[in-house]
Amino acid sequence: MLLSTSQQYLSMPASNPAPDSFGHQYEALRDFTPMRWMERMFGEIAAGDYPRLVDLPCGAGKTDLVFLWLIALARYGMQRPGAKAVPRRLVWVVNRRVLVQQVYRIAQALRERLADSSTLAPVRSGLTTLGADAQPFEIVELRGQTLQDRDWVIRPAAPQLIVGTVDQIGSRLLFQGYGLGKWGRAQHAGILGTDTWVAVDEAHLVPAFVLTLRQIHAKQTSSLESLPLPLAAAFARLPFWLTELSGTPGLPPPTPTPFRLTEHEREDPALRPRLAAEATRRAVIEVPAVEKKQLPGKLAEKALQLAHAGQVRRIAIFVREATAAASVARGLKSKNVCLITGRLRGYERERLADNVIFRRFVGERTSAEGREPCFLVGTAAAEVGLDADADAIVCDFADLPTLLQRLGRLDRRGQLSTSGIVPQMHIMGVPPEPDSAVAEKLQCLAKDLRAANQPVSGALLAGAAWAEADEKQLKAWPLGATRKILAEAAAPNDWSSCELAAAAAPPVQAPPLTDAVLGAFTATTEDRGPYLSPHPFLYGFTEDESSAPLIDVAFRLEVEALRWIDLDDDAESAGDVRAALEAIFTRFPPLRAELHHVSIGAVRDWLKGSPGSSLPLLYRDRDRWRCKLADGSCDPILRALRPGSTLILPAAANTLDGCAGLLKDAGGEAGMVSISDVLDGLQKAACYRRTIAPATGRVAQDGAIAWDSESEASPPDQPDPSWKQTFRQILRVGAVDYTFRYFRPDRAASQQLQYLDDVGCVHGHLTRAAAEAHRLAEAAAPGDAFLDSLLTTAARLHDEGKRFPKWQDAFGRQSAEPELAKLNPRLSRPRPLNGFRHEWESLRHALDHVSPPPGLPVDHAALWRDLVLHFVACHHGHVRPSIADEGLTPGIEPAKQNATRVDAALRFCNLQRQLGSWRLAYLEALIRSADVEASQVQTEDEQAEGDADES
C-alpha cells in the first residue's frame, strides 16, 4: 500500500547523514533510514535515469518511489535549469477503486509531515520554486463515482501527486476522460501526458493498459526529436516518464534492464524478514474438484476449520467474483467479517478505514492480540496493492499473476516466518492437468515469449499466438500453465522462475494505438461513437468480470413522476415533466453516496428483461440527460451505454426483485443511504436536495435518502447559511405533489463584476490572463522568450469575441457599463445565445490583429501565429477540429465563415502533427488555466474597489 505508515521496515538507528542529503530528508519524512536500494534509485532518478520496471520482492517498499520522486523533484526545483528534469506530476495508478481513498488519506498525512518539519525546509523551498502555492504539493484523487475537485487541472505548475484508477487515468490520457465534456477532455490529456511520471502499481494485473502506456510513451519520446526548434528546449524540460511496478510474470520486460536488488541490497537488515517470508510461505493445493456453485461454501468451510484449529487469527478469503465474495461472507456466519469488493458505494468506501476488522488486517500483529478470529473476504479489490497482512489465505484457483498477488498478502511483514511458523495459502478448485497437445503448445509459447524482448512487439506476439489457438487451447493455456507450475515448483518463490511463467498469464489482446485511432480520440468536439471506446485499450478484449466497465445506478423520487404521467391525456404536461427532470439532473446529478456500481453486461441484460424494459428511467447520453418512459424502447439506452454511464431509476424500484438482482452484481443491497451519510459528505458535495411532501411538511424518504426522525435529527432547511436555493420544482407522484428544492453554495454574494479591460486601478480579465500566462510560461520553461510571448499573446486575445453585442447582452451588461468579461452576478444564468460561441468571434478578431514578435525566422513566425490562432479558437474545447454551425458569428457571409472554419480545422491537424497530440493539448491547457485563474483571482485593488462599491 502506498505510503503505508504501518510499513515499518525496522527501527534503524539514525545514521547522522548530512543535513541536505537524501538520507537525512528521507528520515525526516519516514522516521527511519532508507533501504539500500532506495539510495541507489534516488541517485539514478536525480541523474534523469528513471527505472522503467521496478521488480522488487513483495514488501520491499517499492511504493516508496513516491518519497524518492518528491525529494528529487525538490532538488530539481533548486538546481534548474542546469539539473536533469524531473516531472512535477507523479501519477500513481491503482488497479482497484477501493484503494484510492485509502492511498489519498495516507498521502495527506505525508503532506502534513512535509509542511510541519523544519528539517524539510529545503524540500519545501524546492517545490515552491517549481510553482507550489499554499501547499508544498497537491494531492489529487481520481476514481469513479466521486464529486471530484477538478481545480487541480488548472494548476499545471504545481507539483502534484495524482492517485487514480486505470479507467480514470487511462481514459483521460486517451482524450476520452470519463465524465468530461468538450472543455475537459483535451485539457486533462495534455496535463497528464506532459511533465508527468506515470507509475503503474501491480502492472502485471493490467497488461493491456501497460501495453497502451508503452505505446503512448514511445510516441512521446520519438516525437521529441522532431519537435519544431522553438519548442524543443521547452519540452525537453517537460518529460513523460513511465514506470511499471511488478514482481510477477506479465508482458516482456521493457528496456533497459529492470531495477532489481543487488546482492549487497539483499543483505539489508530491513529486508530480512520479508525475504524470509518469501522463502517460507507455502501453497497447499486442495486436490478434490469443487463445482463453481459449491465453491463459496467450501471456501467458507475451510476458513472456519483453520480458525477453529486455533493456530491463526487473521484469515483472508479471495475469490474472483463479487457475488461469490458475498456468498462466502454469508457462509462464515460471523460478525468478525470485512467484505471488500470494487463496487462498494462511495460512502461505504470512505468508512472502510474505520472498520475494526479491516484495521486488524492492515495494522501490526501484536503478541497481545488475543481476540477471536477475523476474516477478510474480497475480490481483486482486496488483493491488489492493499497492505493487508493475513496469517492464512483461502482462495479459488486463478492464473499465476493473481495467485502471486494473493500470496503477497500472506505474512507480508515476515513476523510469522521469522518466528518458525510456516504461513499457508490454500487453493481450491484446481483444474485438471492439460492434455499433451496443449502442454506442447504451452512450451512453445513460453519460449516465444521468453525470446520477445521488445516492450511492444513482444506483447503483440503474445496476442497473435493466442489468436491462432482453438477454443480449447485458449481456455487451457493460462490456467494449464499455472497448474503445471504449481505441480512442479518446490515453493511459491520458484513459481515466477519457471519456464512456463511467461505463458501463465491471460492473453494480452489489446488494440494497437494507431495514428488513425489517436486522431479519432483527439477530435474531442465530435460526438463519441459507440464503436471506438477507450475501454479495450485499458483492459483489453476480455470477459474477466474484475475488469468489466461499470455503470452507476441510483434511485430517486423525482423519477417516480414519470410513472404518473398520461401521454394520451396531456402530452404537453408529459413533455414538461421530462424537461424538468432532464434540467434537474443536468444541474444536480446524484451524490456519490447514492451510486451503486454494476457491470455493463449485467445492466444490458437487465434492460432487455423485466422489469428493466418496463420501468421509466433517466440515462446519460454523452453530454446530456434523457428520459425513457415506462412504455419506451430501451434501444437508445443500450446504444448510449458506455463505461461510467449513469442510470437513475424510480425510488420504489429498489424494492422490486428484478432491481435487487441487478444490484446483486454490485456485491451489495438495494438499501438507502442515511441522511447523515449525505450530510457528512457535504464538504465535497456540489449540491444539496430537500424533498417535502405538502401533506406533512416533512422530508420524504425518497429511495435514495432515508430520514428516521427517531434516530436522527431533522436535516436542515439548507446545509449552511452560505448556501442558497437555486432551483425549485413541484412534481406529482401519485396523488401527492412533492416540492423538490435544490441548493448550491452562494458564490454570487462574494463575486464582483469582471470587465474585459482595465477600469481605473482594477486590472481587467485580459490583463490578468496575460499575467497568469506569463507566470505559467516561466514555471514551465524559465527564460523561454518564444513560449512566453506565445502564451501571453494568446491569453490577451482569447476573449476579444466577448465584445460582440449578442454576448454582452446575454451576460447582463448594462448600457453604461464597461464591457463584461464574465456573467453579471445579478443573473443566475446567462440569457440564450442560441449556440453562438464567443471564441469564434475572438478568432476572427485575432486573424486581423495578431503578428509575431520581431526578429523571428519565417518558419518560427508561422508556427507562432498558427499556435496563437489555435489557442484563441479552442480555449473552451471547440475546434478540435470543428465547431457547430450555430457557433459561428451571426450576420457574417456563410462562405467566409466556412473558409475560416476549414482553415481552423487544418491548422489544428497540422499543429498536432508537428507537436504531437499531448504536447499540443498541454499548451492549450496552459491557456485555459490562465483564463480560469484570471477569473478567480481577486487582487487587493479589486477587493478594495468592491468594498467601496458595497459601501
Side-chain angles (χ1 to χ4, degrees):
M1 182 178 66
L2 178 60
L3 315 182
S4 172
T5 54
S6 66
Q7 190 182 15
Q8 301 291 334
Y9 303 133
L10 276 180
S11 298
M12 301 294 292
S15 54
N16 296 320
D20 60 346
S21 69
F22 163 71
H24 185 76
Q25 293 170 345
Y26 180 91
E27 285 183 23
L29 285 171
R30 299 289 275 148
D31 291 331
F32 44 84
T33 59
M35 294 185 186
R36 294 172 182 174
W37 69 262
M38 297 176 186
E39 296 270 8
R40 175 166 64 99
M41 182 183 286
F42 176 80
E44 295 178 359
I45 294 171
D49 186 18
Y50 71 98
R52 289 295 311 279
L53 172 64
V54 178
D55 183 3
L56 297 175
C58 180
K62 58 180 176 289
T63 49
D64 273 37
L65 177 69
V66 172
F67 295 94
L68 278 60
W69 160 76
L70 196 65
I71 299 173
L73 180 62
R75 296 276 182 92
Y76 170 60
M78 295 296 290
Q79 299 171 3
R80 66 174 187 162
K84 292 288 186 180
V86 175
R88 74 186 68 208
R89 273 174 295 280
L90 177 62
V91 177
W92 195 272
V93 184
V94 181
N95 189 33
R96 289 294 179 263
R97 298 163 183 84
V98 75
L99 300 177
V100 176
Q101 180 72 19
Q102 175 184 343
V103 172
Y104 180 80
R105 288 177 174 174
I106 296 171
Q108 285 179 310
L110 165 64
R111 186 170 62 184
E112 292 171 3
R113 169 65 67 89
L114 182 60
D116 294 340
S117 172
S118 59
T119 304
L120 295 169
V123 177
R124 290 196 300 273
S125 179
L127 298 176
T128 302
T129 301
L130 288 166
D133 191 7
Q135 298 285 353
F137 72 100
E138 297 183 353
I139 307 170
V140 182
E141 176 189 12
L142 292 180
R143 61 181 172 89
Q145 299 83 46
T146 61
L147 293 172
Q148 296 157 2
D149 172 16
R150 293 184 177 176
D151 286 349
W152 67 270
V153 81
I154 64 171
R155 291 188 291 272
Q160 294 172 331
L161 170 59
I162 302 171
V163 186
T165 55
V166 169
D167 47 2
Q168 291 295 321
I169 300 298
S171 66
R172 282 167 167 78
L173 273 171
L174 292 174
F175 292 81
Q176 299 292 293
Y178 297 151
L180 301 179
K182 295 180 179 68
W183 192 89
R185 292 173 200 151
Q187 184 185 30
H188 284 237
I191 295 299
L192 292 178
T194 310
D195 202 10
T196 297
W197 186 359
V198 177
V200 187
D201 199 7
E202 312 296 354
H204 54 281
L205 296 178
V206 284
F209 180 50
V210 170
L211 176 56
T212 298
L213 285 175
R214 289 182 182 181
Q215 295 178 85
I216 293 174
H217 182 266
K219 290 179 181 294
Q220 287 285 70
T221 53
S222 63
S223 62
L224 184 61
E225 301 174 357
S226 59
L227 274 176
L229 186 60
L231 291 172
F235 279 111
R237 302 178 187 179
L238 306 169
F240 179 78
W241 291 0
L242 171 63
T243 294
E244 303 161 25
L245 293 96
S246 174
T248 53
L251 297 174
T255 53
T257 305
F259 187 95
R260 295 190 174 101
L261 293 178
T262 64
E263 287 302 319
H264 173 67
E265 290 163 353
R266 293 184 71 87
E267 296 298 320
D268 193 329
L271 273 177
R272 287 173 186 166
R274 285 150 177 80
L275 296 178
E278 185 182 65
T280 305
R281 291 182 297 234
R282 290 293 182 270
V284 178
I285 301 174
E286 305 289 344
V287 177
V290 179
E291 294 185 12
K292 182 178 179 179
K293 64 180 181 180
Q294 299 175 335
L295 186 57
K298 294 293 184 181
L299 291 170
E301 181 181 329
K302 184 65 180 180
L304 290 171
Q305 288 177 2
L306 294 173
H308 292 155
Q311 297 180 348
V312 293
R313 292 193 295 266
R314 302 189 290 191
I315 304 169
I317 304 100
F318 296 132
V319 292
R320 283 169 289 178
E321 299 177 355
T323 51
S327 297
V328 171
R330 290 192 295 268
L332 291 171
K333 298 179 180 179
S334 170
K335 65 178 183 298
N336 297 325
V337 177
C338 178
L339 174 64
I340 303 178
T341 70
R343 297 175 185 174
L344 298 174
R345 285 185 292 188
Y347 82 100
E348 292 163 332
R349 289 199 194 106
E350 291 185 357
R351 282 153 178 74
L352 189 59
D354 299 326
N355 185 295
V356 175
I357 304 303
F358 177 76
R359 290 166 63 182
R360 285 185 63 182
F361 280 89
V362 298
E364 290 289 322
R365 181 183 287 106
T366 64
S367 58
E369 188 181 36
R371 289 169 287 185
E372 297 178 344
C374 58
F375 305 90
L376 175 69
V377 182
T379 58
E383 302 167 17
V384 179
L386 187 65
D387 196 29
D389 196 359
D391 300 342
I393 291 176
V394 180
C395 64
D396 60 2
F397 185 80
D399 55 74
L400 187 64
T402 300
L403 291 179
L404 284 167
Q405 185 65 42
R406 294 169 174 176
L407 195 69
R409 310 312 111 188
L410 181 62
D411 192 27
R412 185 170 177 81
R413 300 174 183 87
Q415 290 178 283
L416 292 181
S417 299
T418 53
S419 63
I421 300 175
V422 179
Q424 293 184 340
M425 179 170 73
H426 299 263
I427 306 172
M428 307 188 73
V430 179
E433 186 84 11
D435 61 33
S436 57
V438 173
E440 183 178 350
K441 286 278 189 180
L442 280 173
Q443 299 290 347
C444 294
L445 179 60
K447 292 178 181 179
D448 289 342
L449 292 175
R450 291 287 189 189
N453 293 320
Q454 296 301 315
V456 173
S457 62
L460 296 177
L461 168 66
W466 261 290
E468 296 171 359
D470 58 35
E471 184 176 356
K472 178 181 178 183
Q473 293 170 339
L474 184 63
K475 292 181 178 180
W477 256 337
L479 297 182
T482 301
R483 177 66 180 89
K484 286 183 66 66
I485 291 172
L486 266 59
E488 297 172 4
N493 62 329
D494 296 327
W495 290 351
S496 57
S497 61
C498 292
E499 182 183 11
L500 289 175
V508 180
Q509 300 185 66
L513 187 61
T514 64
D515 291 340
V517 169
L518 186 56
F521 282 154
T522 59
T524 53
T525 56
E526 303 296 324
D527 284 338
R528 291 175 288 179
Y531 306 111
L532 184 59
S533 166
H535 190 77
F537 294 87
L538 311 183
Y539 295 105
F541 298 107
T542 177
E543 297 179 357
D544 182 10
E545 181 192 6
S546 66
S547 62
L550 300 183
I551 304 299
D552 303 334
V553 178
F555 299 88
R556 288 278 285 265
L557 182 61
E558 294 98 316
V559 186
E560 288 285 347
L562 291 175
R563 305 175 71 164
W564 301 96
I565 59 176
D566 192 330
L567 295 178
D568 295 332
D569 293 343
D570 192 350
E572 182 177 353
S573 175
D576 291 343
V577 172
R578 297 175 66 170
L581 290 177
E582 291 171 2
I584 287 171
F585 286 98
T586 297
R587 298 177 62 183
F588 307 97
L591 300 176
R592 61 177 171 180
E594 301 175 52
L595 298 174
H596 301 267
H597 318 309
V598 186
S599 69
I600 192 170
V603 171
R604 286 194 177 113
D605 292 341
W606 182 79
L607 287 170
K608 293 175 184 177
S610 179
S613 60
S614 59
L615 280 175
L617 54 86
L618 267 79
Y619 64 98
R620 185 86 171 175
D621 184 8
R622 295 185 176 91
D623 297 327
R624 62 170 297 183
W625 288 94
R626 299 183 185 276
C627 289
K628 179 250 178 192
L629 300 181
D631 57 351
S633 171
C634 286
D635 291 342
I637 308 176
L638 293 170
R639 290 193 296 269
L641 282 182
R642 290 168 178 79
S645 293
T646 304
L647 300 183
I648 312 293
L649 306 182
N654 71 0
T655 62
L656 301 176
D657 291 340
C659 287
L662 172 67
L663 295 183
K664 185 178 180 181
D665 174 77
E669 304 296 335
M672 293 171 287
V673 181
S674 167
I675 188 67
S676 61
D677 291 318
V678 175
L679 293 177
D680 285 347
L682 278 178
Q683 290 183 343
K684 296 181 180 180
C687 61
Y688 174 74
R689 181 174 88 259
R690 184 177 174 88
T691 308
I692 300 176
T696 63
R698 291 183 56 186
V699 177
Q701 179 172 302
D702 69 1
I705 299 176
W707 172 53
D708 184 346
S709 61
E710 295 182 1
S711 61
E712 295 184 306
S714 173
D717 287 338
Q718 59 192 69
D720 186 270
S722 65
W723 289 46
K724 72 171 185 177
Q725 178 177 304
T726 57
F727 197 71
R728 178 177 177 272
Q729 182 70 50
I730 298 176
L731 294 172
R732 175 165 288 268
V733 177
V736 179
D737 288 329
Y738 285 93
T739 301
F740 297 91
R741 299 170 61 203
Y742 303 87
F743 299 82
R744 285 188 182 278
D746 185 7
R747 297 184 178 93
S750 60
Q751 289 179 345
Q752 305 298 322
L753 287 169
Q754 296 190 48
Y755 301 113
L756 285 172
D757 303 312
D758 299 349
V759 178
C761 63
V762 180
H763 291 306
H765 176 70
L766 296 179
T767 299
R768 293 200 305 272
E772 181 64 21
H774 167 72
R775 187 187 72 82
L776 292 174
E778 279 296 300
D784 192 310
F786 183 91
L787 182 64
D788 187 16
S789 65
L790 175 71
L791 296 182
T792 54
T793 302
R796 195 174 294 277
L797 293 171
H798 78 285
D799 270 353
E800 283 291 336
K802 290 182 176 179
R803 301 187 194 277
F804 196 75
K806 185 180 183 68
W807 193 95
Q808 289 290 319
D809 179 67
F811 278 68
R813 180 198 178 202
Q814 304 298 315
S815 58
E817 289 179 336
E819 291 167 314
L820 293 174
K822 300 295 174 184
L823 177 68
N824 189 323
R826 293 188 292 268
L827 296 179
S828 60
R829 295 175 71 98
R831 301 185 185 98
L833 280 166
N834 299 319
F836 167 66
R837 301 299 314 179
H838 73 271
E839 60 266 40
W840 191 253
E841 181 63 15
S842 298
L843 172 62
R844 294 183 63 251
H845 172 86
L847 285 168
D848 298 327
H849 293 85
V850 64
S851 57
L856 283 180
V858 175
D859 56 340
H860 294 188
L863 174 66
W864 186 95
R865 176 180 168 84
D866 282 350
L867 283 168
V868 169
L869 294 175
H870 175 67
F871 296 157
V872 169
C874 76
H875 75 271
H876 277 301
H878 296 267
V879 197
R880 289 190 127 251
S882 62
I883 192 170
D885 289 339
E886 60 268 23
L888 304 176
T889 305
I892 306 299
E893 183 181 356
K896 183 176 181 180
Q897 293 175 342
N898 290 338
T900 305
R901 180 159 40 170
V902 171
D903 288 344
L906 292 175
R907 187 181 300 115
F908 160 67
C909 296
N910 183 48
L911 290 172
Q912 185 162 257
R913 178 183 57 79
Q914 293 183 75
L915 272 68
S917 301
W918 290 274
R919 294 191 184 96
L920 178 60
Y922 173 78
L923 294 178
E924 293 175 22
L926 296 185
I927 296 297
R928 296 182 195 179
S929 298
D931 179 22
V932 176
E933 289 289 2
S935 304
Q936 295 176 342
V937 170
Q938 290 285 326
T939 65
E940 292 183 6
D941 287 342
E942 287 178 297
Q943 188 60 54
E945 185 77 12
D947 293 342
D949 289 341
E950 290 176 0
S951 62

